[in-house]
Amino acid sequence: MSVTATALTLPSARLFMLTKGLVSDIPAESFARLPQADATTVTINHPAFALGHLTLYPSKMLAAFGLDPSPLDPPSGYEELFAPGVECQDDPEGSIYPTKDDTLAAFFDRHEKCVETIKGLRDEDFERPLEVERYREAFGTAGGLSSFMLGAHAGFHLGQISAWRRAMGMGSAF
């Protein structure tokens, strides 16, 4: 495995482990709920939203490397529910968002396959310039985009889940 692939995929494996710890004890009926405090809804992304949103990006990482992204495309409806700028909604009836099991399956399946693909890339593959202008301006190369998506972006949204846990009265996951 290339040096760059190792540097990206080893930390992401740790993030996946942390993700499992963060969500394992969340009841399915709470997975897409917003916390309440003093009869006011707390506006914070719930786990269904955070992980559904992260599920949008493995295919974008493959595309950045010039690979066929279609095997990692998000499930139908995910773009509309979880795209940047879409507001996270409380889902008390379980009718807006996919179930906990479906969300976790989509998230882990796509990220694990993405990481396995990245493990097979050469160091020079990570230097590929990005074709999407907004990504190119922010990250420069496929390696820069992947580093952000597998690290900071994922960590940011996992932090939301950690804060959501506390707002829901749950203790630390670790």
Side-chain angles (χ1 to χ4, degrees):
M1 188 168 28
S2 75
V3 171
T4 309
T6 301
L8 290 177
T9 60
L10 285 179
S12 69
R14 178 84 172 154
L15 275 176
F16 296 152
M17 183 198 72
L18 293 171
T19 303
K20 290 176 183 175
L22 281 171
V23 301
S24 64
D25 63 341
I26 297 172
E29 61 273 8
S30 299
F31 203 66
R33 296 302 315 272
L34 294 177
Q36 301 288 317
D38 300 324
T40 302
T41 300
V42 177
T43 305
I44 186 171
N45 289 345
H46 50 58
F49 191 88
L51 295 176
H53 173 75
L54 289 172
T55 301
L56 303 178
Y57 294 96
S59 63
K60 293 176 183 0
M61 284 185 270
L62 288 192
F65 288 107
L67 303 171
D68 177 13
S70 63
L72 302 187
D73 282 346
S76 178
Y78 271 51
E79 288 284 347
E80 295 78 18
L81 284 173
F82 304 118
V86 173
E87 187 174 330
C88 178
Q89 300 177 56
D90 191 25
D91 189 11
E93 305 301 321
S95 60
I96 300 171
Y97 296 101
T99 66
K100 176 183 178 180
D101 288 344
D102 289 347
T103 302
L104 292 177
F107 171 82
F108 284 112
D109 175 67
R110 283 155 180 83
H111 278 86
E112 288 167 1
K113 288 177 180 172
C114 181
V115 165
E116 284 306 310
T117 300
I118 288 172
K119 285 180 178 179
L121 297 175
R122 303 164 299 156
D123 282 325
E124 54 267 24
D125 295 326
F126 294 92
E127 297 171 13
R128 180 186 172 96
L130 294 169
E131 294 177 11
V132 177
E133 184 177 346
R134 68 184 172 105
Y135 287 158
R136 186 175 55 252
E137 289 174 358
F139 309 112
T141 64
L145 174 70
S146 297
S147 175
F148 174 75
M149 291 300 173
L150 291 173
H153 186 235
F156 173 80
H157 290 294
L158 294 181
Q160 291 174 332
I161 296 172
S162 181
W164 175 92
R165 289 177 61 87
R166 298 303 174 95
M168 291 293 283
M170 299 179 77
S172 173
F174 306 98

